[in-house]
Amino acid sequence: MKDNFAYVKVTKLGFVNGSRTMVPTSGTNRINIMMIPASNTATISAGATATVALPNETKVKFDGSFKDSNGNAYSGNVNVAMFHLKSSDQYLNEMMPGSFLANSTDGSARVMETFGMLYVQ
């Protein structure tokens, strides 16, 4: 984090973790974080190639190779949660996790532009 920045992280079961960076000022500081639902989009089978699509035609192809938390090959059903956040969404700044702050190659601070986000779990 840069000097004087605060990092706020919000978690709730069934939602994508939300976060925001800010420079606190004296008095009351307010930020808005809208959480993205992490609801099940599809259930696919490990070991088989599958494509999961959203109504807006966003697609993710899975090769069927999944591992458990110990790194071992997993077999069985896999629940997939997907959410597409369009850059034109009126609540983009409240919903996008993280920060648009970055450093350029010369080390100067810059604000990034987004073309949206695809959340896949």
Side-chain angles (χ1 to χ4, degrees):
M1 297 303 293
K2 292 202 168 276
D3 292 341
N4 301 322
F5 272 54
Y7 177 73
V8 178
K9 181 177 178 182
V10 180
T11 61
K12 183 174 180 169
L13 188 62
F15 290 85
V16 177
N17 290 345
S19 62
R20 196 76 71 243
T21 57
M22 64 178 286
V23 178
T25 59
S26 60
T28 301
N29 292 264
R30 180 184 169 110
I31 57 172
N32 292 326
I33 298 176
M34 293 178 70
M35 299 190 76
I36 298 170
S39 52
N40 193 44
T41 304
T43 300
I44 60 177
S45 296
T49 301
T51 299
V52 178
L54 294 174
N56 68 357
E57 299 185 18
T58 299
K59 298 176 184 177
V60 175
K61 184 176 181 179
F62 295 91
D63 67 4
S65 299
F66 295 94
K67 297 187 184 277
D68 65 18
S69 59
N70 296 318
N72 301 313
Y74 173 79
S75 61
N77 289 333
V78 176
N79 292 325
V80 178
M82 288 179 22
F83 184 87
H84 180 237
L85 182 58
K86 300 180 293 187
S87 60
S88 61
D89 192 296
Q90 67 178 353
Y91 298 110
L92 176 71
N93 290 329
E94 288 84 3
M95 294 179 79
M96 179 70 79
S99 169
F100 292 119
L101 187 63
N103 287 332
S104 65
T105 55
D106 67 5
S108 59
R110 295 283 187 250
V111 177
M112 296 183 293
E113 180 180 357
T114 182
F115 294 101
M117 173 196 93
L118 179 63
Y119 168 80
V120 181
Q121 177 178 329

